[in-house]
Amino acid sequence: MTNTSNHLGSGSNGEIFNALTVLLADMFTLYVKMKNFHWHVSGPHFRDYHLLLDEQAAQIFGTTDTIAERVRKLGGTTIRSIGHISRLQRITDNDIDKVAPADMLAELLHDNRLIVGEMRHVHALCDEQDDVSSASLLENWIDEAEGRAWFLDETARHHGSDG
């Protein structure tokens, strides 16, 4: 698909929109995992964790439309189904019936750090291809993901293990 709305060549677009589509799949995966833990958290810090996970899930979900629209602006197509997400995702699902709150926080911290690394990789690709618009968006998303990781790390460190 050829893009006529920006200066990037189709080769550049393809690399960038493919990388953004994989990022989008991971963001949806992280969103679902965050909501899973939000719905199933229990223990003495239930309210704090429940609210934190809901707030972070909303932030993650808020990026998905912008990522998909950026892919479309670059002339690409993006994810079409849950199956498509599962073929692209690098963040792992968690289908365990009972997960301790401390383990939830640790897993989400790990996943957000992975997302930061992935975003930095896509940002470098955008810099190489002179895609300032995508790079600018990624800078904000990196900051948000680092913020989520910081909150998760601080929460886990100060609340300790509570099954």
Side-chain angles (χ1 to χ4, degrees), residues 132-148:
V132 177
S133 297
S134 296
S136 177
L137 290 168
L138 282 154
E139 289 166 5
N140 291 322
W141 300 331
I142 290 167
D143 183 57
E144 288 176 356
E146 289 174 340
R148 288 190 304 272

Side-chain angles (χ1 to χ4, degrees), residues 75-95:
T77 59
T78 192
I79 56 173
R80 298 183 185 279
S81 67
I82 298 297
H84 193 182
I85 291 169
S86 71
R87 289 188 299 276
L88 296 176
Q89 75 187 66
R90 293 183 274 191
I91 300 293
T92 59
D93 294 323
N94 185 319
D95 296 327

Side-chain angles (χ1 to χ4, degrees), residues 20-151:
L20 285 171
T21 298
V22 172
L23 174 63
L24 180 59
D26 279 339
M27 293 298 280
F28 270 114
T29 303
L30 184 55
Y31 169 76
V32 170
K33 183 185 286 187
M34 190 81 64
K35 290 304 282 191
N36 169 26
F37 290 167
H38 162 79
W39 294 322
H40 295 103
V41 70
S42 62
H45 301 289
F46 167 78
R47 181 169 171 73
D48 292 338
Y49 293 174
H50 186 76
L51 294 174
L52 173 67
L53 299 178
D54 196 39
E55 178 182 295
Q56 289 197 358
Q59 184 184 66
I60 292 164
F61 188 73
T63 66
T64 59
D65 192 54
T66 307
I67 295 170
E69 288 178 356
R70 184 65 191 156
V71 169
R72 296 295 292 137
K73 285 177 190 174
L74 292 171
T77 59
T78 192
I79 56 173
R80 298 183 185 279
S81 67
I82 298 297
H84 193 182
I85 291 169
S86 71
R87 289 188 299 276
L88 296 176
Q89 75 187 66
R90 293 183 274 191
I91 300 293
T92 59
D93 294 323
N94 185 319
D95 296 327
I96 299 170
D97 287 341
K98 177 96 170 122
V99 179
D103 293 338
M104 289 178 179
L105 297 179
E107 189 169 335
L108 293 170
L109 173 61
H110 175 263
D111 291 345
N112 274 283
R113 287 179 173 160
L114 285 175
I115 289 283
V116 168
E118 186 176 332
M119 288 180 184
R120 289 182 184 280
H121 169 75
V122 179
H123 188 281
L125 180 61
C126 292
D127 284 347
E128 290 171 14
Q129 304 295 333
D130 196 29
D131 181 355
V132 177
S133 297
S134 296
S136 177
L137 290 168
L138 282 154
E139 289 166 5
N140 291 322
W141 300 331
I142 290 167
D143 183 57
E144 288 176 356
E146 289 174 340
R148 288 190 304 272
W150 173 47
F151 269 72

